[in-house]
Amino acid sequence: MTFDIVSFIVLAVATTATALGVIAFKNAVHSALSLILTLLFLALFYLQLQAMFIAVVQILIYAGAIMVLFLFVVTMLAPDQNESDLKDAIPWQRIVGGLLGLVLVAALSYELFTGAQITGPKAAAGNSLTQAVTAYHGDTQAFGMALFHGFLFPFEVTSLLIIVAILGALVFGRRAN
């Protein structure tokens, strides 16, 4: 089996395990952290497909900004819940988490130390394909110009709706003293 197949299988297992963690955990913060891992593994899939821009956007926007907002709202709505009060719902989760962490560290170390790169005819074909796609569709600069010039108003309306939703959640979730 090639490295691509092995890394795909490892990522698929890790992504499935963390996605199951999203629905299996009783604690909302643990579910959110599991969702962050799922989104990070999805970004690694994008890197395997050599879609660097989508992988970076996946990490910055979804795993970064949106999940930070989600965790902020969850902790604001449940400030009285202590970690020591919770019983470990799945007793083997620390072992599985540790093993998945070791697999991730091993895979990333292998990538780092072997310098896995595409060379030869595949690299030349990939470069010419990238140049052809960029010439036809445009590059990230063209995407940014379209987003912030042609779609600036819907972009800002969406951010305003997210802020209103967060404020509504805080108002409805606030406890009366």
Side-chain angles (χ1 to χ4, degrees), residues 34-173:
S34 186
L35 182 60
I36 290 172
L37 282 177
T38 304
L39 294 173
L40 289 175
F41 287 138
L42 183 62
L44 291 176
F45 277 119
Y46 289 138
L47 285 178
Q48 274 191 332
L49 295 172
Q50 297 179 356
M52 183 73 66
F53 178 73
I54 296 175
V56 169
V57 167
Q58 175 77 21
I59 291 172
L60 289 178
I61 293 179
Y62 290 110
I66 291 177
M67 291 311 299
V68 165
L69 283 174
F70 181 75
L71 284 172
F72 174 73
V73 170
V74 165
T75 55
M76 289 296 292
L77 293 179
D80 297 337
Q81 192 176 28
N82 288 335
E83 189 70 28
S84 60
D85 295 343
L86 297 175
K87 189 181 88 162
D88 204 5
I90 307 172
W92 45 267
Q93 69 186 358
R94 292 184 191 271
I95 296 169
V96 172
L99 290 175
L100 286 175
L102 288 175
V103 167
L104 180 64
V105 166
L108 291 176
S109 299
Y110 178 79
E111 283 273 339
L112 179 68
F113 293 124
T114 61
Q117 295 179 355
I118 299 175
T119 57
K122 286 185 178 181
N127 287 339
S128 64
L129 178 63
T130 303
Q131 291 170 354
V133 168
T134 302
Y136 183 73
H137 292 290
D139 55 358
T140 54
Q141 181 180 4
F143 175 75
M145 293 295 285
L147 178 65
F148 291 115
H149 287 282
F151 298 102
L152 182 62
F153 183 71
F155 186 77
E156 292 299 324
V157 168
T158 303
S159 65
L160 183 64
L161 285 175
I162 290 173
I163 291 172
V164 168
I166 290 171
L167 290 175
L170 287 173
V171 167
F172 287 131

